[in-house]
Amino acid sequence: GAVVSQHPSWVICKSGTSVKIECRSLDFQATTMFWYRQFPKQSLMLMATSNEGSKATYEQGVEKDKFLINHASLTLSTLTVTSAHPEDSSFYICSQAGQQGQPQHFGDGTRLSIL
Amino acid sequence: DQQVKQNSPSLSVQEGRISILNCDYTNSMFDYFLWYKKYPAEGPTFLISISSIKDKNEDGRFTVFLNKSAKHLSLHIVPSQPGDSAVYFCAASRNTGTASKLTFGTGTRLQVTL
């Protein structure tokens, strides 16, 4: 069964809106979660590493003020796309770092469409 | 700078035959490699992994081969089944730690035909 739950699965909203995406770990307390973005026919690109109780670590070129990450509990990380614009339209996917020796498990992703 | 490359964007294989998906990497610091399968509008599902201390890992119909000197890995699926039709991503990380970042390839779309 699913070990990572991501919500919502699809969002369509107007330009300038802020959108929050939730990622929940269902099977254990994940101190580290990752946020990825995938544009059509491209690879999954890591955006940031979400650390419970501390600031997220962002990859080069990702605006931390635009993509706000909160990891306030061991089972929930959120990504907020602030003042979204059409170029932010993409498929956003979270993953949880596995337990020792286990691979990352991914949520089902959120398709974000900004009109 | 694409550190993990999958040069074949698509592959078509007949049911029952072997599917071979290839992946090349450039960063010699990578020492843990994974294959994920992805259906449209879903997140990737883990298939199989291999550490750089090995050159082969097998799990049922799936086998991953690693050639460190060539910086190349491949995923073999045999026999291929229609349900295997999906996009396959290889990924690499710099250590086997659970909090390691993954670098993904661009994916290969596998179509298994009847």
Side-chain angles (χ1 to χ4, degrees):
Chain A
V3 297
V4 178
S5 173
Q6 188 171 340
H7 178 81
S9 57
W10 202 331
V11 179
I12 301 175
C13 57
K14 294 180 179 179
S15 184
T17 305
S18 292
V19 179
K20 179 185 283 188
I21 303 169
E22 294 187 347
C23 182
R24 294 183 182 274
S25 174
L26 301 179
D27 62 342
F28 77 101
Q29 295 175 329
T31 56
T32 302
M33 300 179 90
F34 300 95
W35 287 95
Y36 295 81
R37 178 169 55 182
Q38 184 187 25
F39 291 107
K41 297 186 179 181
Q42 293 188 24
S43 182
L44 282 78
M45 299 298 294
L46 180 65
M47 298 176 66
T49 302
S50 174
N51 303 297
E52 188 269 336
S54 64
K55 291 183 179 180
T57 305
Y58 290 82
E59 295 301 300
Q60 191 174 10
V62 178
E63 299 177 59
K64 62 179 181 180
D65 295 329
K66 181 167 186 63
F67 299 99
L68 301 179
I69 291 173
N70 184 282
H71 195 155
S73 78
L74 287 169
T75 59
L76 176 64
S77 175
T78 62
L79 168 68
T80 300
V81 183
T82 61
S83 187
H85 292 285
E87 60 266 28
D88 298 322
S89 298
S90 187
F91 191 58
Y92 293 85
I93 314 173
C94 68
S95 74
Q96 69 175 32
Q99 299 183 67
Q100 189 62 37
Q102 297 299 310
Q104 288 183 30
H105 289 281
F106 288 80
D108 278 342
T110 298
R111 183 159 301 284
L112 177 61
S113 297
I114 308 299
L115 306 177
Chain B
D1 176 30
Q2 190 70 33
Q3 297 186 63
V4 179
K5 301 177 185 178
Q6 294 175 255
N7 292 320
S8 297
S10 63
L11 174 68
S12 183
V13 173
Q14 201 170 21
E15 181 182 13
R17 299 290 185 99
I18 184 171
S19 295
I20 300 176
L21 297 97
N22 294 302
C23 180
D24 298 290
Y25 61 97
T26 58
N27 190 338
S28 58
M29 298 297 289
F30 289 141
D31 60 6
Y32 185 56
F33 305 90
L34 309 90
W35 283 94
Y36 284 86
K37 174 182 180 181
K38 186 180 182 299
Y39 293 114
E42 293 184 12
T45 301
F46 170 74
L47 278 176
I48 192 168
S49 64
I50 188 167
S51 165
S52 61
I53 61 174
K54 295 185 176 182
D55 55 17
K56 177 183 176 181
N57 188 26
E58 189 173 353
D59 184 2
R61 296 186 298 116
F62 303 93
T63 303
V64 55
F65 294 92
L66 175 63
N67 183 334
K68 281 195 300 181
S69 60
K71 294 191 179 68
H72 176 85
L73 64 152
S74 60
L75 173 67
H76 293 210
I77 307 173
V78 58
S80 300
Q81 300 173 353
D84 296 329
S85 298
V87 178
Y88 289 77
F89 289 93
C90 68
S93 71
R94 293 182 63 171
N95 60 65
T96 57
T98 59
S100 298
K101 300 188 292 187
L102 295 179
T103 301
F104 281 86
T106 49
T108 297
R109 181 177 301 277
L110 173 65
Q111 179 76 36
V112 179
T113 59
L114 298 174

